[in-house]
Amino acid sequence: MFDQLRRTVSGPVLGPGDDDFAAEVAAWNTATLHTPDIAVGLTSEEDAAGLVRVAAAAGTPVRVLATGHGSATPVTGGVLATTSRLSGVTIDAERRIAHINAGCRWADVIAAAAEHGLAPVAGASANVGCIGYTLGGGLGPLARTYGFSSDWARGFRIATASGDVVTASATENPDLFWALRGGKGGFGIVTSMDFELIELSTLYGGSVFFDAPQIAGALATWVDWTKTLPETATTSVVILRLPPMEFIPEPLRGKTVLSVRFAYVGDPAEGERLFQPIRDAGPTIIDAVAEMPAAQIAKIHNDPTDPGPGWDRGMMLTELDADFVSAFLGAAGPEQQVPFVAIEIRHLGGATHRDVPEGSAVGGRGGAYTLFMAGVPDPSLFTRVLPPAADALLAPLRPWISAETTINYAGGLTVPGSYEASWPSETFARLAEVRATYDPDTLFPYGPA
């Protein structure tokens, strides 16, 4: 198989003994070490199709790695196809369509679109790969206004288990298109995506930071405030336990703080008026909410850009109230000793609750909020310390935890039931049917082991 792949594929074909193997399979989440039997660096659609044909003939499973932000579970055998060489974004400004190759990150698309006064409905981090994020739905800083990111996908090119590269869109292979907008993995190797852009050059947004004594009041204000916001406003809140290190801004260094993030699409004066209740909630350490270029939207969340070890757990919440605030602060507030660097709540609703006209496989449209926990980035804690700490933190929050979630918040699918809960039961069943149609021999395994 090794020799056959090298004769078939233009990109590198590497084994564990090759010098470049470790770098080829490295994930952005450095806690996950992939050890496939073979790594194949794709350089074209033809490479993807050739790889699939060879792997199918050998009965060898294929998995795909882009940036590795979502790599929570190691790949321990088979073939790992890497897409980083499939780079490049082209913008059709008249049609407002970005053609995004599989190796692109949102930063590439944001920069290219901004030249035309356009923007993608992207994720909070510009460093995340576009394809894997979109296949899982995707909830970004404009979600209440524009919905899940996958709602803006207009077509995919994908190498399926037959060895053919096909188009999946509303008019070609619509069942596969439905599945790729939110169904995540197990359908083939996506080589590119057409993504509709929005007209947006500026917005009113950013983040403010409250010191520990103000957290309780600011959080209570935030929960009440979210119930008054129009769909043109999207917000999230996060408790950060920041280390006393130089890369942290000096006013925040070594502190436990609450950050409120905000993005408003419309008149900046109206955005300022809408945000005023948060400013009135108490003195802030930093106030960085103002009119900003849409091309700088990643500054709202300021997610890490360098690779590192990561552990997280996510879920959705129902409507919040004062009792939730008390329970949450009792479990995760500044006086609690918990091994989490970030505990975040995002406000949903608005466009996230409405499916696209032709339907999609996105799970979690009924969620009112999301909850996300990022553990201390010490891999020695990932197995024995962080899971029980998360269970303990979540126990008093059970009345508000939704039975449904969305797949991008399911982490490594290690929590029993998290895979099934990522979609409504009828969607879960239909996804299984689509996978069976396009991959009857499970060449592209997906789901918990």
Side-chain angles (χ1 to χ4, degrees):
M1 181 177 176
F2 214 97
D3 292 339
Q4 181 65 28
L5 281 170
R6 284 182 165 165
R7 289 192 296 268
T8 304
V9 175
S10 299
V13 178
L14 304 169
D18 292 317
D19 291 342
D20 297 331
F21 180 82
E24 189 69 27
V25 303
W28 188 87
N29 180 357
T30 59
T32 301
L33 300 178
H34 297 307
T35 57
D37 299 320
I38 303 173
V40 179
L42 303 179
T43 63
S44 64
E45 282 190 350
E46 292 74 20
D47 275 358
L51 161 61
V52 170
R53 288 193 293 269
V54 173
T60 301
V62 177
R63 294 174 175 84
V64 184
L65 174 69
T67 65
H69 279 75
S71 289
T73 304
V75 173
T76 57
V79 176
L80 184 61
T82 62
T83 64
S84 59
R85 293 171 184 80
L86 296 174
S87 59
V89 178
T90 56
I91 304 294
D92 184 334
E94 184 175 347
R95 295 173 58 228
R96 291 194 288 115
I97 295 291
H99 181 76
I100 305 169
N101 287 318
C104 293
R105 302 175 188 238
W106 282 118
D108 306 322
V109 185
I110 291 169
E115 295 180 7
H116 305 277
L118 302 172
V121 179
S125 170
N127 197 42
V128 168
C130 302
I131 301 296
Y133 166 87
T134 303
L135 293 178
L139 291 166
L142 301 176
R144 281 176 45 81
T145 308
Y146 296 108
F148 283 81
S149 295
S150 61
D151 296 344
W152 294 83
R154 297 295 174 255
F156 299 89
R157 292 283 287 171
I158 178 171
T160 64
S162 66
D164 299 315
V165 180
V166 303
T167 296
S169 69
T171 57
E172 297 183 69
N173 301 299
D175 55 342
L176 183 57
F177 182 54
W178 171 88
L180 292 172
R181 290 205 287 182
K184 198 66 173 181
F187 305 101
I189 302 174
V190 174
T191 59
S192 65
M193 169 176 68
D194 284 345
F195 196 88
E196 185 177 344
L197 305 170
I198 59 174
E199 293 183 0
L200 187 69
S201 56
T202 64
L203 59 107
Y204 186 83
S207 55
V208 297
F209 294 84
F210 294 91
D211 207 347
Q214 278 73 50
I215 287 178
L219 179 62
T221 297
W222 182 83
V223 168
D224 290 340
W225 175 69
T226 61
K227 302 180 188 307
T228 70
L229 290 178
E231 289 186 13
T232 44
T234 304
T235 182
S236 64
V237 66
V238 58
I239 293 180
L240 298 167
R241 288 170 165 82
L242 300 168
M245 302 180 73
E246 291 187 2
F247 69 89
I248 303 294
E250 194 280 330
L252 306 177
R253 204 169 293 163
K255 292 185 176 182
T256 296
V257 299
L258 180 84
S259 176
V260 177
R261 292 91 157 246
F262 185 65
Y264 174 76
V265 177
D267 178 24
E270 177 62 9
E272 182 176 12
R273 185 193 70 79
L274 285 171
F275 193 69
Q276 192 60 45
I278 297 300
R279 289 193 165 109
D280 292 340
T284 58
I285 305 172
I286 295 174
D287 185 337
V289 177
E291 187 175 9
M292 64 187 300
Q296 296 180 11
I297 194 169
K299 290 186 176 180
I300 294 176
H301 282 239
N302 272 318
D303 283 355
T305 57
D306 296 327
W311 182 99
D312 61 68
R313 186 180 295 182
M315 60 210 64
M316 286 184 160
L317 303 174
T318 58
E319 289 293 340
L320 306 185
D321 53 23
D323 289 340
F324 171 85
V325 173
S326 296
F328 181 76
L329 291 172
E335 296 179 357
Q336 310 306 316
Q337 299 298 314
V338 293
F340 300 102
V341 293
I343 306 172
E344 175 198 73
I345 304 170
R346 297 191 189 190
H347 182 214
L348 304 180
T352 67
H353 284 174
R354 296 189 293 270
D355 201 356
V356 291
E358 61 273 23
S360 72
V362 168
R365 287 201 186 270
Y369 299 80
T370 65
L371 176 65
F372 176 83
M373 298 173 286
V376 172
D378 179 352
S380 69
L381 306 178
F382 288 5
T383 302
R384 297 188 176 182
V385 174
L386 293 178
D391 291 341
L393 189 153
L394 293 171
L397 307 183
R398 291 295 173 194
W400 297 275
I401 294 177
S402 174
E404 64 177 319
T405 184
T406 189
I407 189 63
N408 281 357
Y409 275 73
L413 305 177
T414 56
V415 177
S418 60
Y419 179 55
E420 295 81 359
S422 296
W423 298 277
S425 58
E426 61 274 17
T427 302
F428 187 81
R430 185 178 171 189
L431 283 170
E433 293 175 359
V434 176
R435 288 191 179 96
T437 298
Y438 287 90
D439 185 17
D441 298 320
T442 319
L443 183 66
F444 304 103
Y446 185 71

